């Protein structure tokens, strides 16, 4: 047998798989083939989207279903034995797998990522592939899992509901890293996972494995919003069944094993309200704190009181946004994250939705507004004489026509795209959210007539609006469509089908910004939610330009000319509650309402808000930006983007033509470019629908005059190109040319076209291929036809 003639698939079947099985690996339980572990980045252009390529490993070997030990990249025998190593190392780094192999069927190259081997890479024969026991022992030594108890904890499987659902690769990394840390008696653990990546499901699997293994017997899950606790109990944590309870009505029952609680439900300003002290300090073995950036890290917070009381328990913090300020530090308390998965990674992998940004600047925001001398507002309040700008809008100055203009732009966008696209409008306070609701109602009378709940204000002070929150986040419920809010919906709202996030709120906190953006990042393919739009009226999306948007959060400081360049201790603006007042204290009932901090020297202080209804405003500029493949927002036309994308791979027209003319299948080149974000359909809408991809690319990227498909087909016919073929073969080629003219190149490259009309009326596919002298001759004739179509370029 000549190995050089075998395909990669044959090399796997005849050499690699038998070698692995011979080493003791169970084919059914431990060997997985062609494992796709990303979804492929969603690429958005215009109103269309496509997906880039998935990452797929040829083999992943598991000790147990939840413990991947090795990744293998296979190549055919025309390649060297180590040809797949760099690709395999890339996968292994992503999947957090220590042992990496490359093979071409002659043997293996093994790369040990643990740093403990005498040689990092060594060559092995097919007969010397390591056994599961050998790699497991090396893995345990690498991870420091030396005791039987530690190994027992780590080997405990995931919860399996029988549907085939399993943790995604990054969830598995987070779970395994956490389980291993607990097995080694680490007491404080921090997991950082972007909003929408399944933190609660990840937490459930961690708790399940620790509980089932007996490593942790009694567990407390803490959150700071009622909706978070209820969603957790009813969804991801449901398998705990009768072993689980939610602490409510300040009642303690010590007969359960899994406890879920709002931290406000077990603490209070009075000592008698601290009902967590009814448990003994060693009652819980494990405490998991959801959204741990929201106060658990502050020395004086209620969460820290609970953690300090149950100090012997293991504490695991979960957050999308670790907070690092002068007063609050998640990392100081929990330590460096044991695993991080960022928004950028989630979008790149195709698990999170990318976004467009529509930035709209309003004249009075940018140019400012100054009252006339002695001018009063609509309530008769004398307006302080100074220049009011964007910083003041909806906080100290309310321009009603500005609110109406924002509502008009939201309505225009929804009308032009999808009037029933779930939309969250973030406002500065409850008053602003109510004014926005009213303005939107007046601009959408027909929709409101269909259902009065088309637009709802969902804020912490209003029971009817809060009651609609579940309907808003339920994909199966059409109403409400638009929710105006301030603080209540910034975290923990799993709005899978939210397609529009409107920012008319002053946002200076990176933590809050990430949380708000996270409302749109979930994907729901069943409801055609693959991407979303951010409409920004207050320059909040300038935070995207922060170098640490996806890294460690920092305090933001922009010194004025007369200020020191050294940042003060705390340079962030104070967080405001739903009423627009400085935030102090903590949520008392899960509603979002907070205590208000008023300085001692101003006991009756209240923020003045001037309201004017007659100041005209207008839009100064409006621009659309895309989330690009490098994780940066790009502002450019579809033609510009096409040109830059093509020229990354092909520096000149000659480079492109060389590749095009030598490719066996032209469709493969198109697919490669589409995987990089090139969408030809909207480009054709802009340039011309009668051009095929070749002409679109040559015209836009290299300034070549395009020919329509009809013009190319007619040029071929004029050359009497078909005369050297027999009658039936000639008829096939002429019909292929007609098909090209009607539908383009990709269809005629697929040999299955011979089984369809009108070819099937000419004979069977086998007969038609035989008229050329066999399949190789048919493919050669097709290749020659394509060459004739494009011969006059370059």
């Amino acid at each position: 047998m000549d190995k050089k003639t075998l395909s990669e698939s044959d090399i796997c079947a005849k050499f690699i798989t038998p070698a692995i099985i011979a080493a003791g690996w169970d084919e059914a339980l431990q060997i997985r083939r062609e494992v796709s572990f990303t979804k492929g980045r969603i690429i958005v252009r215009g109103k269309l989207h496509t997906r880039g390529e998935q990452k797929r490993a040829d083999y992943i070997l598991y000790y147990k279903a939840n413990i991947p030990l090795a990744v293998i990249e296979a190549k055919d025998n025309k390649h060297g034995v180590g040809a797949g190593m760099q690709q395999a190392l890339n996968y292994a780094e992503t999947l957090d797998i220590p042992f990496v192999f490359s093979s071409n069927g002659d043997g293996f190259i093994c790369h040990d990522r643990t740093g403990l081997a005498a040689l990092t890479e060594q060559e092995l024969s097919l007969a010397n592939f390591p056994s599961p026991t050998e790699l497991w022992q090396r893995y345990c030594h690498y991870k420091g899992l030396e005791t039987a108890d530690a190994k027992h904890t780590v080997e405990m499987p995931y919860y399996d509901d029988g549907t085939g659902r399993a943790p995604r690769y990054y969830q598995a990394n987070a779970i395994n890293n956490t389980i291993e840390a607990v097995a080694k008696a680490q007491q404080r653990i921090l997991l950082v996972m972007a909003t929408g990546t399944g933190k609660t499901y990840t937490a459930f699997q961690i708790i399940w494995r620790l509980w089932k293994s007996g490593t942790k017997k009694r567990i407390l899950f803490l959150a700071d919003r009622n909706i978070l606790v209820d969603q957790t109990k009813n969804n991801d944590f449901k398998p705990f069944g009768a072993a689980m309870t939610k602490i409510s009505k300040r009642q303690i029952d010590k007969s359960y094993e899994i406890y879920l609680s709002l931290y406000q439900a077990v603490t209070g300003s009075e000592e008698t309200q601290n009902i967590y002290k009814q448990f003994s300090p060693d009652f819980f073995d494990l405490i998991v704190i959801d959204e741990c950036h929201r106060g658990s890290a502050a020395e004086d917070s209620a969460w820290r009181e609970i953690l300090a009381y149950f100090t012997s328990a293991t504490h695991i913090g979960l957050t999308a946004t670790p907070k690092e300020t002068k007063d609050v530090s998640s990392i100081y308390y929990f330590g460096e994250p044991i695993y991080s998965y960022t928004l950028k990674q989630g979008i790149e992998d195709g698990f999170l939705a990318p976004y467009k940004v529509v930035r709209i600047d309003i004249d009075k925001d940018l140019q400012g507004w100054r009252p006339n001398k002695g001018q009063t507002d609509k309530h008769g309040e004398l307006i302080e004489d100074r220049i009011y700008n964007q910083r003041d809008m909806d906080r100290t100055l309310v321009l009603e026509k500005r609110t109406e203009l924002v509502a008009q732009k939201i309505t225009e966008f929804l009308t032009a795209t999808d009037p029933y696209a779930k939309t969250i409008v973030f406002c500065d306070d409850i008053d602003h959210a109510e004014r926005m609701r009213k303005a939107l109602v007046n601009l959408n009378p027909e929709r409101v007539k269909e259902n009065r709940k088309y637009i709802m204000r969902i804020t912490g002070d209003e029971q009817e609006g809060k009651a609609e929150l579940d309907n808003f986040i339920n994909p199966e419920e059409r109403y409400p469509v638009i929710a105006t809010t301030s603080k209540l919906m910034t975290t923990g709202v799993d709005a899978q089908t939210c397609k529009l996030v409107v920012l008319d709120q002053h946002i200076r906190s990176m933590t809050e910004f990430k949380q708000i953006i996270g409302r749109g990042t979930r994907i729901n393919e069943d409801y055609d939610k693959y991407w979303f739009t951010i409409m920004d009226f207050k320059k909040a999306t300038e935070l995207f330009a922060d170098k640490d948007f996806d890294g460690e959060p920092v305090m933001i400081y922009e010194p004025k000319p007369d200020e020191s360049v050294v940042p003060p201790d705390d340079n962030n603006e104070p967080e405001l509650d739903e009423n627009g007042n400085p935030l102090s204290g903590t949520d008392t009932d899960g509603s979002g309402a907070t205590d208000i901090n008023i300085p001692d020297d101003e006991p009756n202080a209240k923020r003045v808000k001037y309201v004017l209804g007659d100041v005209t405003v207008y839009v100064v500029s409006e621009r659309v930006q895309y989330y690009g493949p490098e994780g940066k927002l790009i502002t450019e036309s579809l033609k510009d983007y096409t040109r830059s994308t093509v020229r990354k791979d092909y520096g000149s027209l000659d480079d492109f033509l060389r590749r095009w003319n030598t490719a066996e299948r032209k469709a493969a080149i198109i697919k490669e470019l589409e995987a990089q974000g090139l969408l030809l359909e909207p480009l054709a809408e802009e340039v011309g629908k009668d051009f095929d991809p070749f002409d679109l690319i040559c015209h836009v990227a290299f300034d070549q005059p395009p020919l329509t498909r009809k013009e190319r087909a007619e040029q071929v016919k004029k050359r009497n190109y078909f005369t050297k073929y027999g009658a039936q073969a000639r008829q096939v080629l002429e019909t292929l040319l007609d098909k090209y003219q009607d539908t383009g190149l990709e269809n005629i490259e697929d040999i299955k076209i011979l089984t369809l009309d009108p070819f099937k009326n000419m004979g069977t596919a086998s007969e038609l291929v035989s008229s050329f002298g066999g399949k190789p001759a048919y493919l050669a004739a097709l290749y020659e036809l394509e060459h004739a179509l494009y011969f006059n370029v370059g």
Side-chain angles (χ1 to χ4, degrees):
M1 180 191 304
D2 182 2
K3 280 187 184 179
K4 296 284 190 275
T5 64
L6 298 178
S7 67
E8 181 183 304
S9 179
D10 288 335
I11 291 292
C12 291
K14 295 178 185 297
F15 298 98
I16 299 176
T17 301
I20 299 168
I21 293 171
W25 295 85
D26 187 304
E27 188 170 15
L29 301 177
Q30 295 180 306
I31 303 172
R32 285 185 61 196
R33 289 292 324 278
E34 297 185 345
V35 184
S36 294
F37 54 91
T38 69
K39 293 275 284 183
R41 185 172 65 89
I42 294 171
I43 301 153
V44 180
R45 286 292 170 270
K47 297 177 182 178
L48 302 177
H49 72 273
T50 186
R51 277 197 184 267
E53 286 189 62
Q54 296 179 320
K55 287 187 177 180
R56 187 175 67 184
D58 289 331
Y59 292 83
I60 298 180
L61 306 184
Y62 297 79
Y63 182 66
K64 300 280 187 181
N66 54 299
I67 306 174
L69 292 182
V71 60
I72 305 173
E73 185 62 27
K75 296 294 180 186
D76 63 39
N77 203 250
K78 297 185 188 76
H79 291 83
V81 67
M85 181 53 72
Q86 291 192 147
Q87 186 177 352
L89 284 169
N90 178 284
Y91 294 166
E93 191 174 68
T94 300
L95 298 168
D96 199 15
I97 291 176
F99 306 111
V100 189
F101 297 86
S102 173
S103 179
N104 65 351
D106 289 339
F108 296 93
I109 296 287
C110 172
H111 183 109
D112 188 320
R113 297 179 64 238
T114 67
L116 301 176
L119 289 174
T120 300
E121 283 195 5
Q122 57 180 316
E123 195 159 349
L124 303 173
S125 68
L126 289 175
N128 286 331
F129 193 83
S131 69
T133 302
E134 180 186 344
L135 287 190
W136 174 238
Q137 288 172 346
R138 288 162 63 183
Y139 180 90
C140 290
H141 183 50
Y142 163 54
K143 292 286 189 175
L145 305 171
E146 306 294 354
T147 68
D149 285 345
K151 291 176 184 176
H152 171 69
T153 299
V154 171
E155 289 180 19
M156 185 56 55
Y158 300 127
Y159 171 77
D160 184 351
D161 63 2
T163 65
R165 181 187 184 187
R168 294 169 173 169
Y169 86 83
Y170 62 86
Q171 293 170 338
N173 289 350
I175 295 162
N176 288 342
N177 286 3
T178 304
I179 297 292
E180 288 164 3
V182 172
K184 293 185 288 186
Q186 186 171 322
Q187 286 296 91
R188 294 179 180 179
I189 297 165
L190 179 64
L191 278 178
V192 178
M193 295 173 65
T195 300
T197 55
K199 287 192 299 295
T200 309
Y201 174 70
T202 301
F204 162 71
Q205 290 288 8
I206 290 167
I207 295 169
W208 178 269
R209 286 173 63 185
L210 293 173
W211 181 57
K212 279 294 185 181
S213 68
T215 306
K216 302 294 179 184
K217 296 181 174 63
R218 286 189 290 218
I219 295 135
L220 173 63
F221 181 89
L222 283 173
D224 74 335
R225 295 278 174 95
N226 250 321
I227 188 170
L228 293 178
V229 176
D230 292 338
Q231 282 178 354
T232 300
K233 182 173 184 286
N234 298 330
N235 298 322
D236 288 320
F237 278 40
K238 195 172 183 180
F240 287 125
M244 172 177 59
T245 188
K246 175 188 173 184
I247 298 174
S248 59
K249 299 180 180 177
R250 298 199 173 271
Q251 301 294 315
I252 296 295
D253 183 341
K254 300 178 184 177
S255 63
Y256 293 90
E257 296 173 74
I258 312 292
Y259 293 79
L260 290 84
S261 177
L262 206 64
Y263 75 84
Q264 302 94 321
V266 293
T267 62
S269 56
E270 303 293 331
E271 183 61 27
T272 55
Q273 295 176 312
N274 291 325
I275 63 169
Y276 66 85
K277 292 185 178 179
Q278 293 179 33
F279 296 107
S280 63
D282 61 354
F283 184 84
F284 291 109
D285 305 308
L286 172 65
I287 301 178
V288 178
I289 309 97
D290 194 23
E291 304 290 0
C292 70
H293 65 280
R294 288 182 61 84
S296 64
E299 289 290 348
D300 59 351
S301 76
W303 293 23
R304 283 292 289 275
E305 289 178 28
I306 299 170
L307 299 183
Y309 182 77
F310 298 111
T311 190
S312 64
T314 300
H315 301 162
I316 300 175
L318 305 174
T319 182
T321 50
K323 183 177 281 191
E324 299 301 307
T325 69
K326 176 175 68 72
D327 298 314
V328 179
S329 173
S330 305
I331 290 173
Y332 175 77
Y333 183 81
F334 289 103
E336 290 293 331
I338 200 160
Y339 186 73
S340 295
Y341 189 71
T342 66
L343 171 68
K344 183 178 178 181
Q345 287 173 292
I347 292 174
E348 191 61 35
D349 288 340
F351 294 120
L352 293 180
Y355 44 81
K356 290 183 189 177
V357 175
V358 178
R359 283 179 167 155
I360 299 175
D361 295 329
I362 296 173
D363 66 322
K364 298 300 185 290
D365 292 19
L366 301 188
Q367 299 163 8
W369 174 83
R370 185 175 181 179
N372 298 320
K373 185 177 181 179
Q375 185 173 352
T376 58
D377 75 351
K378 68 184 297 183
H379 301 305
E381 189 87 31
L382 179 66
I383 304 170
E384 180 188 351
D385 183 17
R386 65 179 178 84
I387 295 175
Y388 295 81
N389 55 29
Q390 189 170 65
R391 185 183 178 90
D392 299 292
M393 297 301 166
D394 301 302
R395 300 172 88 178
T396 54
L397 181 69
V398 172
L399 301 180
E400 291 181 337
K401 290 188 181 299
R402 184 191 180 284
T403 305
E404 292 165 9
L405 179 59
V406 171
Q408 178 189 327
K409 286 294 173 183
I410 295 168
T411 301
E412 285 175 10
F413 181 87
L414 291 174
T415 301
T417 54
D418 175 6
Y420 297 98
K422 296 278 185 171
T423 299
I424 306 176
V425 185
F426 286 98
C427 303
D428 268 307
D429 52 33
I430 289 172
D431 169 61
H432 186 195
E434 174 56 25
R435 286 186 288 105
M436 188 63 68
R437 183 200 67 79
K438 178 183 173 184
L440 285 163
V441 166
N442 287 334
L443 286 167
N444 293 272
E446 292 303 316
R447 305 290 177 203
V448 174
K449 187 178 178 182
E450 287 174 17
N451 191 303
R452 70 176 182 83
K453 295 180 179 178
Y454 179 78
I455 301 158
M456 295 290 289
R457 170 166 64 89
I458 301 179
T459 48
D461 70 316
E462 213 269 334
Q463 290 303 316
E464 186 171 4
K466 279 171 63 180
E468 290 300 320
L469 184 54
D470 282 345
N471 289 329
F472 180 81
I473 65 179
N474 184 352
E476 296 181 5
E477 294 289 342
R478 170 169 278 192
Y479 301 104
V481 173
I482 304 173
T484 67
T485 189
S486 56
K487 296 289 180 184
L488 184 63
M489 297 176 72
T490 56
T491 62
V493 177
D494 189 8
Q496 297 175 25
T497 54
C498 176
K499 292 184 178 180
L500 178 61
V501 174
V502 179
L503 305 178
D504 198 26
Q505 183 182 106
H506 293 84
I507 303 169
R508 293 292 179 269
S509 158
M510 181 67 78
T511 297
E512 185 176 18
F513 179 62
K514 286 184 178 181
Q515 292 287 347
I516 287 174
I517 296 309
R519 298 312 104 212
T521 54
R522 288 165 175 83
I523 293 169
N524 190 314
E525 297 185 6
D526 293 338
Y527 289 85
D528 198 34
K529 162 66 187 302
Y530 292 91
W531 53 280
F532 69 106
T533 301
I534 301 166
M535 186 176 281
D536 180 17
F537 291 92
K538 285 186 175 157
K539 292 188 177 295
T541 54
E542 288 183 352
L543 288 171
F544 281 129
D546 190 296
K547 65 182 176 59
D548 290 324
F549 173 65
D550 251 323
E552 298 297 330
V554 294
M555 294 190 290
I556 298 159
Y557 178 55
E558 295 178 353
K560 295 175 183 174
D562 59 342
E563 291 180 336
S564 167
V565 294
V566 179
D569 285 341
D570 187 357
N571 52 42
N572 279 318
E573 292 188 21
E575 281 194 55
L576 303 178
D577 67 11
E578 289 193 320
N579 296 302
N581 293 290
L583 191 62
S584 176
T586 50
D587 209 346
T588 55
D589 62 357
S591 68
T594 55
D595 297 329
I596 298 171
N597 181 25
I598 297 176
D600 292 336
D601 59 344
E602 297 180 73
N604 299 313
K606 185 179 180 183
R607 187 157 55 87
V608 175
K609 189 182 285 187
Y610 305 112
V611 181
L612 292 121
D614 57 354
V615 177
T616 303
V617 297
Y618 60 90
V619 171
V620 176
S621 65
E622 196 167 338
R623 57 200 183 280
V624 178
Q625 297 175 301
Y626 295 93
Y627 184 95
E630 292 82 27
K632 295 180 180 178
L633 288 175
I634 54 174
T635 309
E636 58 185 332
S637 72
L638 195 54
K639 288 182 181 180
D640 290 340
Y641 185 77
T642 301
R643 178 188 290 262
S644 61
T645 301
V646 172
R647 289 196 166 191
K648 277 181 188 175
D649 288 343
Y650 306 102
S652 67
L653 176 62
D654 286 344
D655 290 341
F656 179 70
L657 292 178
R658 196 176 301 115
R659 177 72 202 287
W660 184 268
N661 289 328
T662 56
E664 289 183 17
R665 285 175 61 87
K666 316 301 184 195
I669 300 174
I670 304 304
K671 189 175 179 183
E672 286 171 8
L673 289 169
E674 286 179 334
Q676 296 177 48
L678 192 69
L679 281 191
L680 292 166
E681 234 177 291
L683 187 65
E685 292 281 343
E686 198 170 306
V687 178
K689 292 183 179 180
D690 296 328
F691 302 123
D692 76 1
F694 175 86
D695 280 282
L696 288 173
I697 291 167
C698 289
H699 174 61
V700 173
F702 302 110
D703 301 315
Q704 289 293 305
L707 293 177
T708 65
R709 291 192 301 272
K710 183 178 181 181
E711 287 169 336
R712 290 201 175 279
E714 286 177 349
Q715 283 191 356
V716 174
K717 291 174 183 176
K718 286 176 185 174
R719 290 184 219 119
N720 294 320
Y721 164 72
F722 305 119
T723 53
K724 63 180 177 179
Y725 294 98
Q728 190 174 35
R730 188 162 58 248
Q731 187 182 10
V732 170
L733 289 171
E734 288 171 349
T735 308
L736 284 171
L737 197 57
D738 291 339
K739 279 287 183 185
Y740 162 80
Q741 182 175 316
D742 293 339
T743 63
L745 183 69
E746 291 181 63
N747 288 330
I748 71 169
E749 286 196 324
D750 190 340
I751 199 169
K752 291 179 182 175
I753 197 172
L754 299 180
T755 64
L756 306 175
D757 285 333
F759 296 97
K760 66 181 182 182
N761 297 323
M762 304 177 193
T764 66
S766 178
E767 289 170 347
L768 298 182
V769 168
S770 296
S771 70
F772 289 87
K775 185 176 179 180
Y778 168 76
L779 294 175
L782 180 62
Y783 184 81
E784 196 176 345
L785 172 61
E786 290 181 342
H787 186 71
L789 280 167
Y790 302 108
F791 93 102
N792 62 332
V793 180

